[in-house]
């Protein structure tokens, strides 16, 4: 199986198929609890995601955390978003709640870590680098740039 080279996603060869399947995905903690305020939880979640990806021969390109959700860009090979979400969320949820038992007591009362919903979008070559950058900068202060001549509201209307 081929891998990525440099910053672009290459066409990958599988046993019975050839193609590129790069997804941008986001998983939210159930009830929007701010579980990723704990750096150790964030770090361990990333380790689990990377290990699961490696086991499935997926390429986890980028991962970014905000206080209550995670974004990833991943080359999922021949798997669909539901397969990727099930593997990543199931393994990480089980392990994180076991290893950080205070999370279950404080936030989840016997339920799982992740909201059942997922966000996903398939990415074409032009947007892969843009999504890598967006994913990498989760939780960072937003930088706004204004074009010359855009100093007041009226400047944007013309």
């Amino acid at each position: 199986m081929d891998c990525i080279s440099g910053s672009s996603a290459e066409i990958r060869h599988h046993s019975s198929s050839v193609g590129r399947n790069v997804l941008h995905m986001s998983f939210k903690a159930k009830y929007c609890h701010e579980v990723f305020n704990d750096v150790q939880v964030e770090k361990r979640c990333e380790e689990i995601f990377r290990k699961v990806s490696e086991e499935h021969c997926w390429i986890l390109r980028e991962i970014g955390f905000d206080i209550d959700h995670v974004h990833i860009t991943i080359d999922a090979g021949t798997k669909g978003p539901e397969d990727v979400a099930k593997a990543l969320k199931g393994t990480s949820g089980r392990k994180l709640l076991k290893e950080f038992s205070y999370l279950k007591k404080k936030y989840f009362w016997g339920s799982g870590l992740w909201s059942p919903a997922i966000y996903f979008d398939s990415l074409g070559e032009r947007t892969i680098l843009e999504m890598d950058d967006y994913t990498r900068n989760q939780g960072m202060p937003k930088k706004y740039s204004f074009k010359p001549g855009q100093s007041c509201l009226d400047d944007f209307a013309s």
Side-chain angles (χ1 to χ4, degrees), residues 104-129:
K104 192 164 194 156
K105 288 179 185 174
K106 184 174 181 180
Y107 297 123
F108 301 107
W109 320 291
S111 68
L113 173 78
W114 298 108
S115 164
I118 63 168
Y119 167 82
F120 72 93
D121 189 12
S122 59
L123 303 176
E125 184 63 33
R126 289 181 298 171
T127 61
I128 291 173
L129 297 177

Side-chain angles (χ1 to χ4, degrees), residues 90-106:
T91 304
S92 63
R94 184 177 63 256
K95 289 184 176 189
L96 290 172
L97 291 179
K98 183 177 181 182
E99 294 173 23
F100 300 92
S101 57
Y102 79 90
L103 289 175
K104 192 164 194 156
K105 288 179 185 174
K106 184 174 181 180

Side-chain angles (χ1 to χ4, degrees), residues 24-25 62-65 71-73 130-138:
H24 169 224
M25 301 184 80
E62 289 292 340
I63 186 165
F65 291 88
H71 285 264
I72 61 171
T73 51
E130 294 166 359
M131 289 315 305
D132 282 349
D133 188 52
Y134 174 80
T135 300
R136 184 180 311 110
N137 291 309
Q138 284 301 299

